[in-house]
Amino acid sequence: MQVCSWVRNQPEFYLKYHNEEWGVPSYDDRELFELLVLEGFQAGLAWITVLKKREAFRVAYDNFDVQKVANYDDKKIAELIQNTGIIRSKSKIISSINNAKIFIQIQKEFGSFSNYIWGFTGGKIIKNTNDKIPVSTPLSDLISKDLKKRGMKYVGSIIIYSYLQAIGVVDDHETTCFRY
Ligand SMILES: [Zn+2]
């Protein structure tokens, strides 16, 4: 069975993520928030590094309950910085809490974060048609700009493009991959 080149000869959990989750359209705000936080933590690291810590993140972050995360106080921040299971970046941790507050504002404005993010393509999935996978596109530039304007951090265009691939707004499976 052919898979995308980036998961060939990789650990089972990484392959499973590719096979079952990557590029599958998500409309669930909890999932959309989880992936937004994880992509933000990825900045400067490999995705596999973040994915390896995903379960620890879920425990540390109340299963990515956005309301709870938005209310994290200094005591909780100190706890997260000491948590060796996750990525201990003070700046990323503080940004994730600030981003949670903005995520909630977007939910209020659009009814859901899903409505907001899928609104950029009118609900359409952008499917890869060749194997030259970009690192960012005008669409990710636009969303990145809008999220930054709203006050989010760690939402640069490359992070957002990777996010769009993860949540299935963009389907970038290679043409030879069985998921294509
Ligand atoms: Zn694939």
Side-chain angles (χ1 to χ4, degrees), residues 6 14 17 22 34-53 57 61 64 86-89 91-93 95-96 99 135 153-166:
W6 57 272
Y14 204 35
Y17 170 75
W22 192 72
E34 172 172 349
L35 285 161
L36 188 66
V37 172
L38 294 177
E39 292 284 355
F41 271 96
Q42 190 208 346
L45 303 165
W47 182 232
I48 191 168
T49 306
V50 179
L51 216 53
K52 227 181 269 173
K53 295 173 177 285
F57 264 109
Y61 271 80
F64 294 98
I86 66 167
I87 290 155
R88 299 156 70 195
S89 154
S91 139
K92 288 177 181 176
I93 289 166
S95 292
S96 67
N99 288 357
V135 293
K153 287 199 176 126
Y154 289 101
V155 289
S157 189
I158 293 173
I159 291 177
I160 291 302
Y161 191 70
S162 174
Y163 179 61
L164 295 175
Q165 291 174 315

Side-chain angles (χ1 to χ4, degrees), residues 3-4 6 18 22 173-174 177 179:
V3 292
C4 287
W6 57 272
H18 161 274
W22 192 72
H173 284 285
E174 293 167 13
C177 174
R179 290 302 313 264

